[in-house]
Amino acid sequence: MILGNNIFNTMVNFTRKFHPVGFGAFYTECHESGGREINVVYDCGTLKGETFIEGCIRKQFPKEKTVIDILFISHFHKDHINGVPFLIKHCIIKKVVIPFIPKADRALFVVGEGLDRSYEGLVLDTEAYFGEETEIIRISRNGENDIPVNSAEIIQPSGNPIEISLSLSISLKWTYVPFNYNYTKYVPKLKKKLEERGLDYDKLSDKKYLYKNINEVKRAFKEIEKDQNKTSLILFSGLIKKIPFDDCIALVKNALIEVLIDSDAGSLLNCVYFGDASLKDDEIVNAFKHEILEKFNLSYRTLQIPHHGSMYNFNSKIVESSYISVVSCDFKSYNLPDASVTKEIAKAGSVLVAVTDNPNTEFRECGKY
C-alpha cells in the first residue's frame, strides 16, 4: 500500500515529535518535500483533559483542515484517545488504523475499558464515528485470520507494511508496520466468568442486554483484571533500507544532542511506538522481534517506553539496540517512570528522555531521506 502524492524532488524532510502532554500520548511525524507533506499521528490524548489536548493539537496543526494522512490508535484508553474528537473537527483524517476487535466483543470492550458513553462510537461503529471520508483499517491478530466472511470492514493482517511516498525520484519509501499481538487475548476467560454468573455471552453484543447486566459485567472484568494482558497496536516507523542521512539532530529542551552517524545510519531515525503494551510477557516481545524486526531486517534507535514507564509493562529486551528511550509521564501525580525502569534503561546504555506536560520537554527528531 503506497500513500501520498508523487512529485519530482530529491529529498524529503522528516520531523518526529513527542508532544508534552504529560500522562498521555500524542506523537506526530511529518514528511515534507516541495511544499507537499504527509502527516502521521500515533495516539492523541492525555489525562490533563480535553481542553489541554486541544491546545496541543492547535499548536501542532495551526491551520484548520490540515490533512492527517494516517491516524494510528494503539488502544482505547482515555489518555490515548480523548483528543480524537477535536482532531476530527480540526483536521481532515484520511485513514485510521486500529486493532481489530470482533463485533461481538466491542460493546464489552466499551464497558471493560471504562470508556465514557461519548466515546463508545469510536469502538462500536468506527466508520460512522469518523465519517464516510475516512478509511478505517483494522489490524488482525498476529498469526490469525480474523476476517469474517462477507465482512464489509477493511481488515488487514498484523505486520502488513504501509508505505508512503512524496516523490517518484526517490526510490526509498518510509514504512509503517503495525503489529497486533492479540488485543482481545483475555476474552475467553471473560466469557467463562460471565457464563458462571448466568449471563448469555452471545447476547452481550446487544447494548440493552449489556447495560441491563452492567454491574455483573463489571464484576466479571474485575475478577480477571490480573489476567488481562493489556496489549496495544505496536508500530514500527522508519526506513527499511539503510542509508546515510545528510543531517540528523534531536532537539530536547532547546538543546542539541549530537548523534553519531555510523554504518547503520539508515536506522538512526527509525522508531517503535509501544503504546501501553504489556511487554513483561516475553512472548509478545519475541513475536514482535521475529514477525517484524527479523522478518523485514529492521532496527531502531528510538522507542517509546510503554505505559508511561510502568514497571509492569517494561522489558529490558526492547532497549538493547536503542539509542533514545522516550517516556511520556507525569512525575508529580503518578511517580513514573518507575525507578527500576530508569535503572534498566541506563544499564542498557540508552538515553532516557522524559516528556512531561512542560512545553520545554517536547522531544523532536529531524532528518532527511
Side-chain angles (χ1 to χ4, degrees), residues 326-365:
V326 186
V327 57
S328 295
C329 58
D330 182 338
F331 298 122
K332 297 178 181 179
S333 301
Y334 299 96
N335 197 28
L336 291 172
D338 189 86
S340 63
V341 173
T342 301
K343 183 179 179 179
E344 287 293 329
I345 291 173
K347 184 179 178 180
S350 179
V351 178
L352 176 63
V353 178
V355 179
T356 68
D357 60 350
N358 184 332
N360 293 326
T361 65
E362 177 186 282
F363 179 69
R364 182 183 304 173
E365 294 179 309

Coordinates of all heavy atoms in Angstrom, one line a residue, residues 326-365:
V326 N 12.1 7.2 25.0 CA 11.3 8.4 25.3 C 10.1 7.9 26.1 O 9.4 6.9 25.7 CB 10.8 9.1 24.0 CG1 10.0 10.3 24.4 CG2 11.9 9.4 23.1
V327 N 9.8 8.6 27.2 CA 8.6 8.2 28.0 C 7.8 9.4 28.3 O 8.2 10.5 28.6 CB 9.1 7.6 29.4 CG1 10.0 8.5 30.1 CG2 7.9 7.1 30.2
S328 N 6.5 9.3 28.0 CA 5.5 10.3 28.3 C 5.0 10.1 29.7 O 4.5 9.0 30.0 CB 4.3 10.3 27.3 OG 4.8 10.6 26.0
C329 N 5.2 11.0 30.6 CA 5.0 10.8 32.0 C 4.5 12.0 32.8 O 4.5 13.1 32.3 CB 6.2 10.2 32.6 SG 7.7 11.2 32.5
D330 N 4.2 11.7 34.0 CA 3.8 12.8 35.0 C 4.4 12.4 36.3 O 4.0 11.6 37.1 CB 2.3 12.8 35.1 CG 1.8 13.9 36.0 OD1 2.5 14.4 36.9 OD2 0.6 14.3 35.9
F331 N 5.6 13.1 36.6 CA 6.3 12.8 37.8 C 5.5 13.0 39.1 O 5.5 12.2 40.0 CB 7.6 13.7 37.9 CG 8.6 13.4 36.8 CD1 8.9 14.5 36.0 CD2 9.1 12.2 36.5 CE1 9.8 14.3 35.0 CE2 10.0 12.0 35.5 CZ 10.4 13.1 34.7
K332 N 4.8 14.1 39.1 CA 4.1 14.6 40.3 C 2.9 13.7 40.7 O 2.8 13.3 41.9 CB 3.6 16.0 40.2 CG 4.7 17.0 39.9 CD 4.2 18.4 39.7 CE 5.3 19.4 39.5 NZ 4.8 20.8 39.2
S333 N 2.1 13.3 39.8 CA 0.8 12.6 40.1 C 1.0 11.1 40.1 O 0.3 10.4 40.8 CB -0.3 13.0 39.1 OG -0.5 14.4 39.1
Y334 N 1.9 10.6 39.3 CA 1.9 9.1 39.2 C 3.3 8.5 39.5 O 3.5 7.3 39.4 CB 1.5 8.7 37.7 CG 0.1 9.2 37.4 CD1 -0.1 10.4 36.7 CD2 -1.0 8.4 37.8 CE1 -1.4 10.8 36.4 CE2 -2.2 8.8 37.5 CZ -2.4 10.0 36.8 OH -3.7 10.4 36.6
N335 N 4.3 9.3 39.8 CA 5.6 8.8 40.2 C 6.2 7.8 39.1 O 6.7 6.8 39.4 CB 5.6 8.1 41.5 CG 7.0 7.9 42.1 OD1 7.9 8.7 41.9 ND2 7.1 6.9 43.0
L336 N 6.0 8.2 37.9 CA 6.5 7.5 36.7 C 7.4 8.3 35.9 O 7.2 9.5 35.8 CB 5.4 6.9 35.9 CG 4.5 5.9 36.5 CD1 3.3 5.6 35.7 CD2 5.3 4.6 36.8
P337 N 8.5 7.7 35.2 CA 8.8 6.3 35.1 C 9.3 5.7 36.4 O 9.9 6.4 37.3 CB 9.8 6.3 34.1 CG 10.5 7.6 34.2 CD 9.4 8.6 34.5
D338 N 9.0 4.4 36.6 CA 9.4 3.7 37.8 C 11.0 3.7 37.9 O 11.7 3.6 36.9 CB 8.9 2.3 37.8 CG 9.1 1.6 39.1 OD1 8.2 1.7 40.0 OD2 10.1 0.9 39.2
A339 N 11.5 3.8 39.1 CA 12.9 3.8 39.3 C 13.6 2.6 38.7 O 14.7 2.7 38.2 CB 13.2 3.9 40.8
S340 N 13.0 1.4 38.8 CA 13.6 0.2 38.2 C 13.7 0.3 36.7 O 14.6 -0.2 36.1 CB 12.7 -1.0 38.6 OG 11.4 -1.0 38.1
V341 N 12.7 0.9 36.1 CA 12.7 1.1 34.6 C 13.8 2.0 34.2 O 14.6 1.8 33.3 CB 11.4 1.6 34.1 CG1 11.4 2.0 32.6 CG2 10.3 0.6 34.4
T342 N 14.0 3.1 34.9 CA 15.0 4.1 34.7 C 16.4 3.4 34.8 O 17.3 3.6 34.0 CB 15.0 5.3 35.7 OG1 13.7 5.9 35.5 CG2 16.0 6.3 35.4
K343 N 16.5 2.6 35.8 CA 17.8 1.9 36.0 C 18.1 0.9 34.9 O 19.3 0.9 34.4 CB 17.7 1.1 37.4 CG 19.0 0.4 37.7 CD 18.9 -0.3 39.1 CE 20.2 -1.0 39.4 NZ 20.0 -1.7 40.8
E344 N 17.1 0.2 34.4 CA 17.3 -0.8 33.3 C 17.7 -0.1 32.0 O 18.5 -0.5 31.3 CB 16.1 -1.6 33.1 CG 15.9 -2.6 34.2 CD 16.9 -3.7 34.2 OE1 17.5 -4.1 33.2 OE2 17.2 -4.2 35.3
I345 N 17.1 1.1 31.8 CA 17.4 1.8 30.6 C 18.8 2.3 30.6 O 19.6 2.2 29.6 CB 16.4 3.0 30.4 CG1 15.0 2.5 30.1 CG2 16.9 4.0 29.3 CD1 13.9 3.6 30.1
A346 N 19.2 2.8 31.7 CA 20.6 3.3 31.9 C 21.6 2.2 31.7 O 22.7 2.3 31.1 CB 20.8 4.0 33.2
K347 N 21.3 1.0 32.3 CA 22.1 -0.2 32.3 C 22.3 -0.6 30.8 O 23.4 -1.1 30.4 CB 21.5 -1.3 33.1 CG 22.3 -2.5 33.2 CD 21.6 -3.6 34.1 CE 22.5 -4.9 34.1 NZ 21.8 -5.9 35.0
A348 N 21.3 -0.5 30.0 CA 21.3 -0.9 28.6 C 22.1 0.1 27.7 O 22.4 -0.1 26.6 CB 19.9 -1.0 28.0
G349 N 22.5 1.2 28.3 CA 23.2 2.3 27.6 C 22.4 3.1 26.7 O 22.8 3.8 25.8
S350 N 21.1 3.2 27.0 CA 20.1 4.0 26.3 C 19.9 5.4 27.0 O 20.0 5.5 28.2 CB 18.8 3.3 26.2 OG 17.9 4.1 25.5
V351 N 19.7 6.4 26.2 CA 19.4 7.8 26.7 C 17.9 7.9 27.0 O 17.1 7.7 26.2 CB 19.8 8.8 25.7 CG1 19.5 10.2 26.3 CG2 21.3 8.7 25.4
L352 N 17.6 8.2 28.3 CA 16.2 8.3 28.7 C 15.8 9.8 28.5 O 16.4 10.7 29.0 CB 16.0 7.9 30.1 CG 14.6 8.1 30.7 CD1 13.6 7.3 30.0 CD2 14.6 7.8 32.2
V353 N 14.7 10.0 27.8 CA 14.1 11.3 27.6 C 12.7 11.3 28.2 O 11.8 10.6 27.7 CB 14.1 11.7 26.1 CG1 13.4 13.1 25.9 CG2 15.4 11.7 25.5
A354 N 12.5 12.1 29.2 CA 11.2 12.2 29.8 C 10.4 13.4 29.3 O 10.9 14.6 29.3 CB 11.3 12.4 31.4
V355 N 9.2 13.1 28.7 CA 8.4 14.2 28.1 C 7.2 14.3 29.1 O 6.4 13.4 29.2 CB 7.9 13.8 26.7 CG1 7.0 14.9 26.1 CG2 9.1 13.6 25.8
T356 N 7.1 15.5 29.7 CA 6.0 15.8 30.6 C 5.0 16.7 30.0 O 4.9 16.9 28.8 CB 6.6 16.3 31.9 OG1 7.1 17.6 31.7 CG2 7.7 15.4 32.5
D357 N 4.2 17.4 30.9 CA 3.3 18.5 30.3 C 4.0 19.8 30.2 O 3.4 20.8 29.8 CB 2.1 18.6 31.2 CG 2.4 18.9 32.6 OD1 3.6 19.0 33.0 OD2 1.4 19.2 33.4
N358 N 5.3 19.9 30.6 CA 6.1 21.1 30.4 C 6.5 21.3 29.0 O 7.1 20.4 28.4 CB 7.4 21.0 31.3 CG 8.2 22.3 31.3 OD1 8.2 23.0 30.3 ND2 8.9 22.5 32.3
P359 N 6.1 22.4 28.3 CA 6.4 22.6 26.9 C 7.9 22.4 26.5 O 8.2 22.0 25.4 CB 5.9 24.0 26.6 CG 4.9 24.3 27.7 CD 5.4 23.5 28.9
N360 N 8.8 22.7 27.5 CA 10.2 22.6 27.2 C 10.7 21.2 27.1 O 11.9 21.0 26.7 CB 11.0 23.3 28.4 CG 10.8 24.8 28.4 OD1 10.6 25.4 27.3 ND2 10.8 25.4 29.5
T361 N 9.9 20.2 27.5 CA 10.3 18.8 27.4 C 9.9 18.2 26.0 O 10.2 17.0 25.9 CB 9.7 18.0 28.5 OG1 8.3 17.9 28.4 CG2 10.1 18.6 29.9
E362 N 9.3 18.9 25.2 CA 9.0 18.4 23.8 C 10.3 17.7 23.2 O 11.3 18.4 23.2 CB 8.4 19.4 22.9 CG 8.2 18.9 21.5 CD 7.7 20.0 20.5 OE1 6.6 20.4 20.6 OE2 8.6 20.5 19.7
F363 N 10.1 16.6 22.7 CA 11.3 15.9 22.0 C 11.0 15.8 20.5 O 10.0 15.4 20.1 CB 11.4 14.5 22.6 CG 12.6 13.7 22.0 CD1 13.9 14.1 22.2 CD2 12.3 12.6 21.2 CE1 14.9 13.4 21.6 CE2 13.4 11.9 20.6 CZ 14.7 12.3 20.8
R364 N 12.1 16.2 19.8 CA 11.9 16.3 18.4 C 13.1 15.7 17.7 O 14.3 15.9 18.1 CB 11.8 17.8 17.9 CG 11.6 18.0 16.5 CD 11.6 19.5 16.2 NE 10.6 20.2 16.9 CZ 10.4 21.5 16.9 NH1 11.2 22.3 16.3 NH2 9.5 22.1 17.7
E365 N 12.8 14.9 16.6 CA 13.9 14.3 15.8 C 13.7 14.8 14.4 O 12.6 14.8 13.9 CB 13.9 12.8 15.9 CG 14.2 12.2 17.2 CD 14.1 10.7 17.3 OE1 13.1 10.2 16.8 OE2 15.1 10.1 17.7

